Amino acid sequence: MQHKPIQILIVDDHPMVIEGLKTLLSDDDRVTVKTHFMNGTDTLTFLAKDTVNVVLLDVNLPDINGVEMVSKILNIRANIGIIGLSTYSEPSIINQMIKNGVKGYLLKNATADELVNAISQVHQGHFYFGSEVQKILADSVAQEHNDLPRLTRREKHILTLIADGKTTNTIAEELFISPLTVETHRRNLMQKLEVSNAASLIKVAVEKQLI
């Protein structure tokens, strides 16, 4: 039995990109480009009355940015699979797109095979991120890890005690050091974590998994 081709909607503000994608996908009978739009407003108007299986969405649109568009599309059609397809390779943008609900992300230099594979995977409810995108995200995580402030063993110990709610005098007694030394460590910790009070110190330390 012949399966119906996966219906695609392309959203990109460059006519040449749209035509290139249509040509790229025209050779594969597993997919069909149902329609395309060059801005977010027309896309949302169309989706309010009609639907597709997968949206290929650029980040840079003239009226609504792609990150916002992800949420807006899913608010109208929760079952649509969205693939970010862009020249943007900044980890922060890719992560925002993922957070808002894209199921895939490819750079525009992706091959036809990779593009069709991504469409197929996303249509089946899976995630798909191009090999270049995976490397960008992995490098970003590694960089974040390298950006963690370097704490001494004593600073880590004091940070844990502060998180436990212990006062300066209690910490001083427990570690056999002066309250002044504890306060010096506390100031150093706040400087390293770029905060101005104990509550923020604990919050940031937890976020960065330092305690």
Side-chain angles (χ1 to χ4, degrees), residues 12-33:
D12 196 293
D13 65 337
H14 292 97
M16 285 180 65
V17 171
I18 292 171
E19 290 309 312
L21 286 170
K22 286 165 74 173
T23 302
L24 206 62
L25 296 170
S26 64
D27 292 334
D28 199 307
D29 58 10
R30 290 172 294 174
V31 298
T32 181
V33 177

Side-chain angles (χ1 to χ4, degrees), residues 135-185:
K135 186 177 185 310
I136 289 164
L137 293 176
D139 289 347
S140 167
V141 170
Q143 183 60 43
E144 281 179 22
H145 184 72
N146 290 337
D147 287 344
L148 288 176
R150 295 186 181 279
L151 304 183
T152 65
R153 187 176 298 175
R154 176 52 59 90
E155 284 172 342
K156 285 181 181 176
H157 194 177
I158 289 174
L159 183 58
T160 303
L161 294 173
I162 291 170
D164 287 341
K166 295 186 176 176
T167 65
T168 295
N169 287 336
T170 305
I171 294 170
E173 288 173 17
E174 197 166 315
L175 299 182
F176 303 104
I177 56 178
S178 73
L180 187 61
T181 303
V182 175
E183 282 303 310
T184 301
H185 282 304

Side-chain angles (χ1 to χ4, degrees), residues 78 80-84 97-98 101-105 122 125-129:
I80 283 182
I82 304 174
I83 298 172
M97 295 281 278
I98 294 169
V102 297
K103 285 290 199 306
Y105 197 98
V122 167
H126 305 305
F127 288 90
Y128 188 97
F129 298 97

